[in-house]
Every structure is written in C-alpha cells, then in structure tokens.
C-alpha cells in the first residue's frame, strides 16, 4: 500500500472512532475491549456465520489452531484476535477467500472494523485484501496487506444499502498463512430495532450444461492407451449412444481381442510399438468412427490423465467391498464409463493385519480382494489400491508397506490391482520432516516402489501422494510417478477448490503424457468422507469452475462422490465429452494462466488438432465482463468460438472474445479451426 493510502486510512480510522465516540459515547479503548461502539451497533461475530462462503470464521478468535471441521478432529484451541499488539474481544478470524453476505434491509449506517493479518502470523507468508462490497459494488479495498504490516482501519458508509459483503481475498498468491482478522467488526444500524441477517451469496441462474447422453453413437476420450508388452491389457472403448452398440476394430495390435458387443479389449501385447486402431461403433441411430492409438512399451501408462473414482471423499474410512462394486456399477449405468472413466480406486481403510508370513490381508469389510478386482475388470474397468512407504497409512491404525514393499506389491498384483496410490504420511517417522528433508531422502521410498513395480508381471499406474515439503511436481516424473499430489486434502468449499486450482501457475511445465499434477479428487455430487452423505457445497457455477480448471490443467479427474445417487446435473457435468476431450487431449499440454486482471483469469492450452481450449474464470464476488484477445493466445484474424459446456457454436470472432462470466463462474470455449 502506498504511503498516501496509509495516511488516508489512518485519517479515516480517526474519523471513524471520533464519529463513533461522538454518536455513541464509546471510547476507542472501550470499543477495542469489547464495548459496543454505539447502542445501535451489532457485532458481526454475533450473526449466524454458517452461511459464509469459504471456511466459517471463528467469532472473536483468530482462525488458527489446526484444520478443524473434519470428523474426528479436535476443535482447534481458541486464539484471541490480535492486531498490532491489541487484542479484540469481538471480530471475525478468517482465512482468505471467505465471503460473508449480510442483508441490511436499508437500515444500516456504517460498517467499522480493523483489518489485518493476525499477530500470530506476523512472520508468515500471508498476504490478503480486505474488501467491503455494498449492493454489488466494491466500496472499500485495503490494497495488498502482507504479514507484519500494520492493520488498516475500515469505515464504510452503508446508508440505504440493502446488502453488504465482507470479503478477504488471497492477494493473488494462494492462501498460505492468510490468517486474517476483522478486528472489532460492527455494523451500526439506524435504530436498535433493526437487525442485519446473513444470507449467503446472491443465487445466479444455473449454468447451461449440455446432456452427455446422445442417441447417435459417439467415440469419446481417451483415444490413446498404453501397456507393457506381455502384461495383462484391458481397455474399454469409450463410446456412447443408444444401444445396442456394436464394435469393430481394424488393425488391432497383436495379442489383443475385441469383444464386439461390449467394446472391451483384452489380452496382452506381444511386442513393443505404436498401433493406430480404426474403431467403428454402430448403433440403431447411426455409426461413429475414429482412431484409438495403442502404445506398447514399458512405462506407457497414463498417457492421458487418469479418469475414475476413489472412495475417500465419499466413504472415508468406512468404505466396503459393496460400495466399491456399486461405484463400478454406477460408472457403467450413468454412462460415465462410456465417457472414459476407468479407474475404481479403493483409498485407505481396506487393510487388515499382516499374517504369520508378513503378508498383508484385507479387513472384514473386504472379504475377497481378488473377487472384487475380477468384478471390476468384468466391466472393462480397472481397480486401484492404497498404501504408503511408512509403517502406517494416513489413517494411522492401518498397516502400510514399510519394509514390506516387494511383498505388498506382489499381493496387490496377485489380487489383480492396476493402480497404486502411495501416500507418504507416517514415512515422516522414518525420515523426519524437519530433519532429513533433502531431495534424495524424499525420493528414496518412491524410487524403491518404482523398482518393485517394474519387476512385477502387471502394470500399475503409480500415484504419489506427497505434499507439504519438497516440490514434488519438479521430481515426481523422475522417480517414475504417473501422477503426484501437489496439494493438501481438498474439501468442497469454494475457498479450498479455487485456492488449489488457481495456485497451479507454473506447474504446467511439469505435466505431460505419463506424468501429471494431481490437484486432488473431485468434490462434486454426494460427498461425506465417511460421515453423513450430503450434496457438495459448491454452487453449480463453482462446480463448472472445478471441472473446467482441472480439465484445462490436465489433472486426473477422480470422482469422489456416491454415483448411485448422482443427479442429472452431476452426470452431465462429469460426462461432458467436449470438456473431457480437453482433459484427455493426447498432446498432453497442460494449461497455464494466460492473463489475469484482478480476480478474473484466463487459462488456456493448445490442443492436438491445432485449436486452443480457453477458460475465462471469474473469481470475483459479482459477474464480470471478460475479454480474451487473440494476441494473448497466439491467434489472429477471424476465429470460430465454441462453448464446450453448452456444445454451442458462438460464431466467428475477430481479434477477441468478450463474454459476461457469472460470479465464481467460467465460460469454457474452444477457439480456432482444426489444422490437424
Ligand atoms: C491423506 C490423503 C487423502 C486420503 C487420506 C486417507 O489425507 O491426502 O487423499 O488418501 O490420506 O487416509
């Protein structure tokens, strides 16, 4: 913040306090120590905060002391709101990207507070903006406020206003250490009968999403797959359309057989090499043709980002065999398998004790792992399992693979698994986080399992779950990972999802065929983490942001929902073939951020056909008109634009494309004429 702005803020603060003192006879010191500034003032921390968008603020406390909010975790210890050495008895402790919308009914006079990063994070990396939006327009903006800088006084006229939104932005650099306080926050009302009410954000009209179910046959994504010669091969041709469908393949690679009624290809490649296979899908409503490329070589897995399902975000530690089977059934029934979703992954909590020979067993919830894998394979789908390099998994009570790596991998292979998520967690007991965190130590356990997997007679997609230290995206491919987690655990809030997604700038250079940045599993549909199932907290527009951003970034799309209860919107959201074609584009070039203007961002990626996929994202509190210029995309002249969510041609545009993007929303388009 410039000096001049600081001086203005300081002057405003004095004015606010003098005004309050005059009107309500409260003194500055009294206000800070918890006396209301005027009789008509309402502490914001006395309102219902459950409607906050983003993490719920802590009334009268700073937002520190652990994650909180997750089942089984103790509530974080109370920490007073402290700014520049002053403790505020009232106020809100927030993390960035939290919005609190308050209905004022035209009966408010002003909003007063002191905004800053809490003293407890004075030396952190936090940077935030404090903003006050009145009836859809920004009336106060603190400018970028970094940890250690003095807090700013806030005093906003609310005369006649219907609605105010209090917002703390992440300063454009992610949410790390963004522990912010609205110290002493109060709304002064016109009289003592008026009361502000929190409302949640204004509800936008739902986005238009095309149906993923079409009558005419269609060959979907992925269009490329790989396998090690001599190892079991399984691929379900991703094709949709009214059935019964019939499949034909010309030039199928040696060693493989196509089931013409299911489109499932099985066998084992007999030799290395790349085979373009001409596929025809015929149904009562027509015919579709296309090429599926089969690559035979070692380390040719995940040539496009894995598409599938994982148990964690829905069933958590309570997952059972029946739920995994139901997920496989639902992938087929909903048509998502026909759109390319393949992996059915069991996360933590399948493990039983080791037997007398040290061999890992499954627990009582998984009576027969081989039968389960056979069941999933029977549908042309693949199955994933979970472990870690430490002695115990992240759930602590379960055994992980430390000093049993070879033995465990052989067991997974014997059962018929195809994918391993290998989660660091208790490996910190072996190589302590704050002790030996040198790169070779971080890589060691992953290299060990890589070597073990290479010696098996089965292919495993290798998913590294490592986050917290060591920039895994810079070396995940080097240790043979097919994907690696670049973030802590996601939750279904705008702050969590957008905080993760929009923090991926510059990571795109590390993604490519066979090795992808994993921004964690999807948080749409019915979720629960092992507790009561409920709908995602993301709005429909926010869900489009989630899937668009993950698709542009070539992130794995691993569904975390109970698909047996998926509604039409969720299925169309997850199964949109034109959006999935972006995610699964065989060129494998992940999007980076092309431009940013305040809280609107354009992300784009080149596609294998010579066109570009472009997402216009609005992270702001209200709708914004956004423009992407051809010059930003390396394009020129007149170019056709197609809306991918709606499957709608928007016509040819010259030099630029402008569109109104809803709050927390996206418009995802494909621009250009195919050249290949
Ligand atoms: C960690 C991972 C999650 C999940 C749990 C299971 O938190 O990040 O994705 O696998 O462990 O315990």
């Amino acid at each position: 913040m410039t000096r001049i702005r600081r001086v203005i803020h300081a002057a405003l603060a004095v004015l606010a306090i003098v005004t309050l003192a005059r009107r309500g006879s409260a003194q500055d010191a009294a206000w800070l120590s918890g006396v209301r500034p005027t009789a008509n003032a309402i502490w914001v921390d006395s309102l219902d905060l459950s409607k906050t968008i983003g993490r719920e603020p802590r009334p009268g406390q700073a937002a520190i002391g652990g994650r909180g909010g997750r089942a089984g975790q103790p509530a974080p210890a109370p920490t007073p709101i402290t700014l520049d050495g002053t403790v505020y008895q009232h106020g809100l402790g927030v993390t960035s990207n939290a919005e609190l919308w308050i209905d004022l009914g035209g009966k408010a006079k002003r909003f007063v507070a002191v905004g800053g990063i809490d003293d407890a994070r004075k030396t952190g990396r936090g940077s935030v903006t404090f903003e006050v939006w009145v009836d859809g327009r920004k009336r106060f903006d603190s400018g970028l406020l970094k940890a250690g800088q003095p807090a700013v006084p806030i005093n906003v006229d609310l005369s006649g206003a219907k609605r105010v939104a209090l917002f703390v932005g992440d300063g454009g650099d992610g949410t790390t250490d963004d522990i912010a306080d609205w110290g002493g926050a109060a709304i002064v009302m016109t009289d003592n009968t008026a009361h502000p009410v929190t409302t949640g954000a204004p509800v936008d009209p739902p986005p238009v999403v095309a149906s993923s179910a079409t009558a005419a046959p269609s060959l979907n994504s992925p269009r490329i797959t790989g396998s090690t010669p001599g190892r079991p091969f399984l691929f379900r041709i991703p094709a949709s359309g009214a059935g019964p469908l019939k499949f034909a393949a010309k030039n199928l690679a040696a060693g493989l057989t196509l089931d013409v009624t299911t489109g499932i290809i099985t066998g084992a490649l007999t030799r290395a090499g790349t085979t373009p296979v001409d596929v025809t899908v015929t149904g009562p409503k027509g015919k579709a043709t296309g090429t599926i490329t089969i690559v035979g070589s070692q380390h040719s897995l995940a040539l496009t980002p894995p598409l599938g399902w994982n148990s964690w975000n829905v069933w958590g530690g309570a997952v059972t065999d029946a739920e995994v089977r139901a997920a496989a059934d639902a992938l087929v029934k909903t048509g998502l398998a026909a759109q390319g979703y393949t992996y059915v992954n069991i996360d933590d909590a399948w493990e039983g004790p080791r037997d007398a020979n040290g061999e890992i067993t499954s627990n009582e919830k998984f009576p027969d792992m081989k039968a389960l894998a056979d069941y999933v394979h029977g549908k042309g789908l693949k199955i994933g399992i979970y472990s870690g390099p430490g002695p115990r998994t992240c759930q602590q009570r379960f055994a992980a693979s430390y000093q049993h790596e070879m033995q465990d991998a052989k067991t997974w292979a014997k059962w018929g698994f195809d994918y391993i998520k290998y989660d660091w967690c208790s490996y910190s007991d072996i190589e302590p986080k704050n002790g030996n965190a040198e790169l070779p130590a971080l890589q060691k356990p992953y290299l060990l399992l890589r070597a073990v997997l290479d010696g098996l007679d089965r292919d495993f997609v290798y998913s590294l779950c490592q986050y917290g230290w060591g920039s895994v995206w810079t070396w995940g491919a080097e240790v043979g990972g097919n994907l690696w987690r670049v973030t802590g655990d996601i939750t279904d809030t705008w702050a969590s999802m957008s905080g993760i997604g929009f923090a991926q700038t510059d990571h795109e250079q590390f993604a490519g065929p066979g090795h992808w940045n994993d921004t964690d599993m999807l948080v749409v549909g019915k979720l629960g983490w092992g507790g009561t199932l409920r709908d995602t907290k993301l709005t429909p527009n926010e869900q489009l942001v989630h899937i668009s951003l993950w698709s542009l970034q070539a992130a794995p799309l691993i569904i975390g929902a109970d698909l047996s209860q998926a509604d039409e919107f969720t299925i169309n959201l997850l199964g949109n073939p034109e959006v999935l074609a972006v995610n699964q584009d065989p060129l494998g070039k992940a999007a980076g951020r092309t431009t940013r203007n305040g809280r609107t961002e354009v992300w784009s990626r080149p596609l294998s056909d010579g066109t570009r996929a472009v997402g216009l994202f609005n992270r702001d509190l209200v709708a914004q008109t956004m423009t992407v210029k051809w010059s930003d995309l390396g394009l020129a002249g007149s170019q056709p634009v197609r809306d991918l969510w709606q499957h709608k041609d928007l016509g040819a545009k010259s030099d630029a494309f402008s569109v109104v993007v809803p709050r927390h929303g996206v418009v995802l388009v494909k621009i250009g004429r195919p050249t290949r």
Side-chain angles (χ1 to χ4, degrees):
M1 187 165 46
T2 59
R3 267 185 75 176
I4 211 151
R5 275 175 87 175
R6 252 188 237 138
V7 170
I8 294 171
H9 280 133
L12 276 173
V14 171
L15 190 72
I17 288 161
V18 168
T19 313
L20 289 168
R22 272 212 204 110
R23 293 203 186 147
S25 76
Q27 288 184 348
D28 180 16
W31 171 40
L32 299 182
S33 62
V35 176
R36 281 193 298 166
T38 77
N40 298 343
I42 310 282
W43 296 119
V44 176
D45 57 47
S46 69
L47 305 180
D48 171 11
L49 303 174
S50 66
K51 302 219 167 88
T52 308
I53 292 142
R55 188 166 153 194
E56 194 171 318
R58 303 185 71 188
Q61 290 171 32
I64 45 181
R67 306 170 53 100
R70 273 179 62 175
Q73 284 195 333
T79 315
I81 289 175
T82 314
L83 294 167
D84 305 328
T86 302
V87 172
Y88 292 78
Q89 292 191 8
H90 287 276
L92 301 178
V94 299
T95 47
S96 57
N97 296 334
E99 293 171 28
L100 186 62
W101 290 75
I102 305 166
D103 204 335
L104 304 168
K107 293 200 164 166
K109 279 183 163 169
R110 53 187 50 253
F111 169 73
V112 285
V114 175
I117 293 190
D118 194 271
D119 282 6
R121 284 292 200 288
K122 223 180 197 156
T123 56
R125 290 195 284 139
S127 67
V128 297
T129 53
F130 284 83
E131 298 172 32
V132 180
W133 291 66
V134 181
D135 290 336
R137 300 189 54 184
K138 189 157 63 174
R139 284 280 181 77
F140 174 84
D141 189 336
S142 65
L144 194 65
L145 208 63
K146 292 192 176 161
Q149 290 184 336
V152 295
I154 303 167
N155 181 355
V156 178
D157 185 1
L158 297 178
S159 311
K162 294 198 171 60
R163 184 123 78 159
V164 64
L166 306 180
F167 177 65
V168 173
D170 66 12
D173 64 352
T175 58
T176 309
D177 288 335
D178 285 354
I179 300 296
D181 302 325
W182 297 93
I187 296 172
V188 182
M189 303 302 285
T190 47
D191 61 75
N192 61 11
T193 59
H195 212 277
V197 180
T198 53
T199 60
V203 179
D204 281 322
V208 178
V209 175
S211 168
S212 59
T214 48
S218 150
L219 191 57
N220 304 316
S221 305
R223 296 294 186 93
I224 187 164
T225 187
S227 175
T228 308
R231 294 186 181 177
F233 180 99
L234 176 66
F235 183 72
R236 181 188 165 115
I237 295 174
S240 53
L245 296 177
K246 244 184 129 50
F247 295 82
K250 248 194 253 160
N251 190 32
L252 193 58
L256 303 185
T257 316
L258 168 70
D259 181 322
V260 297
T261 55
T262 60
I264 299 171
I265 303 174
T266 52
L269 291 167
T270 54
R271 55 175 176 266
T274 298
T275 315
V277 180
D278 296 324
V279 171
T280 305
V281 190
T282 315
K285 299 286 175 196
K287 183 160 129 170
T289 56
T291 305
I292 303 267
T293 303
I294 296 180
V295 179
S297 95
Q298 206 193 8
H299 301 158
S300 63
L301 301 187
L303 295 174
T304 59
L307 294 177
W309 175 92
N310 171 295
S311 56
W312 188 251
N313 291 355
V314 52
W315 306 119
V319 60
T320 65
D321 172 288
E323 283 148 359
V324 176
R325 286 172 193 249
D329 294 346
L331 279 179
V332 174
K333 193 166 163 225
T334 55
L336 291 173
Q339 297 294 347
Y341 287 87
T342 300
Y343 291 96
V344 179
N345 294 346
I346 312 172
D347 207 277
D348 205 350
W350 62 267
E351 308 87 344
R354 293 189 181 279
D355 69 12
N357 301 321
E359 188 158 338
I360 189 82
T361 63
S362 53
N363 61 36
E364 64 292 347
K365 295 185 288 133
F366 289 89
D368 187 339
M369 291 296 248
K370 180 157 189 333
L372 175 57
D374 289 347
Y375 182 82
V376 172
H377 290 154
K379 295 174 185 291
L381 303 175
K382 297 185 178 182
I383 184 160
I385 197 163
Y386 173 96
S387 188
R392 292 173 315 284
T393 68
C394 293
Q395 283 280 291
Q396 291 304 323
R397 57 187 199 275
F398 298 110
S401 297
Y402 184 58
Q403 293 185 334
H404 291 272
E405 295 83 359
M406 175 65 86
Q407 197 178 17
D408 284 1
K410 281 186 173 158
T411 306
W412 311 327
K414 183 181 76 186
W415 286 336
F417 281 86
D418 308 290
Y419 182 117
I420 170 71
K421 173 171 168 184
Y422 207 49
D423 202 347
W424 179 277
C425 278
S426 73
Y427 194 76
S428 293
D429 298 350
I430 311 299
E431 292 283 6
K433 202 193 288 207
N434 301 317
N436 189 357
E438 297 297 319
L439 194 54
L442 296 176
Q443 295 183 335
K444 190 175 145 195
Y446 293 114
L447 284 167
L448 173 60
L449 189 73
R450 178 73 265 169
V452 164
L453 296 177
D454 286 348
L456 299 176
D457 54 6
R458 231 191 135 73
D459 277 339
F460 277 83
V461 169
Y462 188 18
S463 158
L464 315 186
C465 197
Q466 147 122 13
Y467 178 70
W469 66 100
S471 306
V472 62
W473 48 93
T474 62
W475 53 263
E478 222 173 89
V479 299
N482 294 120
L483 57 153
W484 46 82
R485 270 278 287 280
V486 293
T487 156
D489 289 11
I490 197 169
T491 57
D492 59 327
T493 63
W494 170 248
S496 168
M497 183 277 292
S498 68
I500 292 169
F502 290 108
Q504 300 308 317
T505 43
D506 299 331
H507 291 173
E508 65 273 15
Q509 57 188 299
F510 302 106
H515 48 95
W516 309 102
N517 293 308
D518 175 2
T519 34
D520 207 358
M521 299 165 298
L522 305 179
V523 281
V524 302
K526 289 254 187 242
L527 307 165
W529 285 273
T532 311
L533 285 190
R534 55 170 175 75
D535 286 318
T536 176
K537 289 186 204 145
L538 299 178
T539 67
N541 278 306
E542 291 170 347
Q543 296 178 54
L544 257 67
V545 167
H546 188 12
I547 307 303
S548 303
L549 196 50
W550 266 236
S551 293
L552 283 163
Q553 292 173 346
L557 298 179
I558 306 291
I559 300 165
D562 176 7
L563 285 175
S564 66
Q565 295 194 48
D567 58 16
E568 209 184 325
F569 174 79
T570 307
I571 293 164
N572 290 335
L573 174 82
L574 293 167
N576 184 312
E578 298 194 19
V579 175
L580 290 170
V582 172
N583 176 267
Q584 295 290 302
D585 186 70
L587 192 60
K589 274 226 162 280
R593 187 167 62 206
T594 308
T595 56
R596 175 165 68 168
N597 180 7
R599 270 191 295 275
T600 62
E601 302 188 12
V602 174
W603 289 65
S604 70
R605 66 183 278 187
L607 299 174
S608 53
D609 66 358
T611 64
R612 288 194 78 95
V614 180
L616 296 93
F617 292 93
N618 177 13
R619 305 174 65 187
D620 223 334
L621 280 76
V622 297
Q624 297 288 359
T625 301
M626 290 184 66
T627 299
V628 58
K629 293 196 212 121
W630 288 180
S631 54
D632 294 331
L633 302 170
L635 297 170
S638 169
Q639 299 289 348
V641 178
R642 180 168 171 84
D643 187 307
L644 297 182
W645 282 112
Q646 299 187 36
H647 296 175
K648 188 169 150 195
D649 288 325
L650 304 179
K653 312 279 173 192
S654 291
D655 305 323
F657 168 62
S658 290
V659 67
V660 176
V661 186
R663 69 169 253 113
H664 293 189
V666 62
V667 171
L668 181 67
V669 291
K670 181 164 164 157
I671 302 177
R673 285 180 192 86
T675 54
R676 292 189 276 277

